[in-house]
Amino acid sequence: MGSLEVKTLLEGQAEVWQYMFGFADSMVLKSAVELRLADIIHSYGGPMSLSQIASKIDSASPNIPYLGRIMRMLARKGVFGAHRPSEGGDTTYGLTHISTWLRHDSELSLAPMILMENNLWQLAPWHYLSQCVKQGGIAFKKAHGCEMWDFASQNPEFNKLFNDALACTTKIVMRAFLSQYKEGFNNVRSLVDVGGGTGGELAEILKTYPHMKGINFDLPHVVATAPEYDGVSNVGGNMFDAIPNADVIFMKWILHDWSDEACVKILKNCRKAIPEKTGRVVLVEIVLQENGDNMFGNMDVVFDLLMFAHTTGGKERTEPEWKKLLEEGGFPRYNIINIPALPSIIEAYPL
């Protein structure tokens, strides 16, 4: 075996080790959120030593050596910055552009999403992917005995975890959406947000377009926990049965939760709910790229596997797959608008 072959084989082994323990990245990130490390450093106003950070953790006797090992990993990953004085003294840790997204007290934060996706309830279905390949079926149901939406309706703690995670990603994506869709709703009188959760994304839209009537439409147990927002009416129902009438229907990260057959049914109900000549559907969804050549790297295919693990036939779709789905649902014309976020805007028209 030549030296180049040995080197290549060794590189392969090294990469397998990295993939094998990829979960360590998400687990240490989760621990940082649970310990509120980014909030502690931000509140302090500058870099802190381990003992200073430990003194602010909600615990009577925090273990500083354990904290040090977590911070070492996070610093190596660039989540926190580490400054080691050349003349000796304690290493201090500061915020970076990554840890800014871990703060609970920030308007734009991914902390609730980190807690939700790394919760035992959400991790369990990932262990059933190979079983699904062999036997078919739904990973979440194999792990928990029911599908995710039923699980949420029966489990208030999970329902809150899930809604909080969606609310935080809504703020991030909606800011990007509104920055690129500045005049998109100028002549729209009414808008239905299908699967709008607790109404946060619709409230953000109405701040920019206060002339519109907004209907937040979701399952009854979801809208039951929705706060009051100016201009937003909460309506409980099922998008597979019927959707409230409006000029425009908005759906953010809804269709990726469902199979092609289910999506066609939803789109046909959308088609019935909007005016034939002037109506449209506005989707915010990932458009899967075959090469993954963008800032978010492999997140499109990761999200596709997330749909595999958590939903009933959901998946991310390429542009040709979106085109076919929209046509079958009664929307032969579409337009894709890129925004500074993981998903894109897809406008779909019935004529």
Side-chain angles (χ1 to χ4, degrees):
M1 189 180 290
S3 59
L4 182 60
E5 204 173 352
V6 170
K7 182 175 181 291
T8 302
L9 199 59
L10 184 60
E11 287 172 352
Q13 182 196 153
E15 289 190 35
V16 170
W17 280 108
Q18 294 284 338
Y19 296 146
M20 190 191 313
F21 288 102
F23 67 86
D25 290 348
S26 57
M27 290 298 103
V28 79
L29 199 66
K30 180 191 178 193
S31 71
V33 172
E34 290 174 330
L35 293 168
R36 306 181 81 92
L37 300 179
D39 298 87
I40 288 169
I41 296 171
H42 178 257
S43 296
Y44 185 75
M48 301 174 73
S49 67
L50 282 178
S51 58
Q52 287 175 319
I53 296 170
S55 71
K56 300 295 183 182
I57 289 173
D58 183 20
S59 169
S61 55
N63 188 302
I64 294 177
Y66 284 166
L67 175 63
R69 290 157 74 176
I70 287 172
M71 292 303 291
R72 177 170 60 190
M73 172 74 159
L74 290 166
R76 181 174 290 190
K77 289 288 181 178
V79 177
F80 293 103
H83 176 66
R84 299 171 182 85
S86 56
E87 67 279 1
D90 293 336
T91 298
T92 56
Y93 298 91
L95 297 179
T96 68
H97 64 294
I98 301 174
S99 48
T100 298
W101 291 92
L102 308 186
R103 286 168 44 200
H104 293 78
D105 62 359
S106 175
E107 184 185 353
L108 296 180
S109 171
L110 282 167
M113 188 69 170
I114 293 165
L115 294 176
M116 191 267 285
E117 289 298 348
N118 292 289
N119 184 280
L120 287 172
W121 287 318
Q122 292 290 62
L123 290 173
W126 287 90
H127 292 277
Y128 291 86
L129 299 190
S130 60
Q131 197 177 114
C132 286
V133 171
K134 292 177 180 179
Q135 304 169 352
I138 297 158
F140 195 96
K141 191 171 183 179
K142 287 178 184 292
H144 298 296
C146 64
E147 295 175 26
M148 188 169 68
W149 314 116
D150 294 329
F151 190 78
S153 68
Q154 297 160 16
N155 186 327
E157 187 182 347
F158 177 79
N159 191 46
K160 184 180 187 311
L161 200 67
F162 186 82
N163 286 338
D164 287 349
L166 262 58
C168 87
T169 55
T170 288
K171 287 181 183 177
I172 295 164
V173 173
M174 290 311 298
R175 180 168 291 194
F177 171 83
L178 292 168
S179 74
Q180 298 297 309
Y181 209 61
K182 291 177 181 175
E183 298 177 4
F185 296 133
N186 276 358
N187 300 315
V188 176
R189 293 168 301 171
S190 58
L191 179 78
V192 175
D193 185 359
V194 175
T198 53
E201 61 196 20
L202 184 54
E204 287 299 308
I205 292 173
L206 293 182
K207 284 179 187 175
T208 305
Y209 301 96
H211 67 277
M212 286 195 305
K213 174 189 174 186
I215 300 170
N216 179 50
F217 181 67
D218 212 313
L219 294 169
H221 77 269
V222 176
V223 297
T225 64
E228 293 292 322
Y229 291 110
D230 288 344
V232 176
S233 302
N234 291 303
V235 176
N238 191 317
M239 61 190 172
F240 292 104
D241 297 331
I243 290 168
N245 292 335
D247 294 335
V248 173
I249 291 172
F250 177 79
M251 288 188 283
K252 178 181 71 64
W253 269 337
I254 300 299
L255 296 185
H256 76 161
D257 287 332
W258 300 97
S259 67
D260 290 349
E261 184 183 11
C263 286
V264 168
K265 191 169 185 180
I266 295 166
L267 286 167
K268 284 181 176 178
N269 284 341
C270 290
R271 180 69 184 78
K272 293 173 188 172
I274 58 172
E276 186 170 347
K277 293 184 179 179
T278 59
R280 69 182 184 275
V281 168
V282 178
L283 309 175
V284 178
E285 293 278 2
I286 288 173
V287 180
L288 196 148
Q289 305 296 318
E290 293 298 348
N291 58 13
D293 184 21
N294 60 64
M295 180 184 289
F296 292 93
N298 294 323
M299 274 300 105
D300 53 352
V301 289
V302 170
F303 260 68
D304 182 53
L305 289 176
L306 183 68
M307 297 304 102
F308 180 177
H310 290 168
T311 67
T312 310
K315 60 181 180 178
E316 302 301 347
R317 296 172 171 90
T318 61
E319 183 175 343
E321 288 172 329
W322 277 117
K323 182 176 186 291
K324 182 174 183 291
L325 198 69
L326 292 167
E327 285 176 351
E328 290 177 6
F331 296 88
R333 191 162 61 90
Y334 73 94
N335 178 41
I336 295 175
I337 303 167
N338 292 322
I339 61 174
L342 180 57
S344 301
I345 299 169
I346 306 173
E347 294 178 309
Y349 303 89
L351 293 175

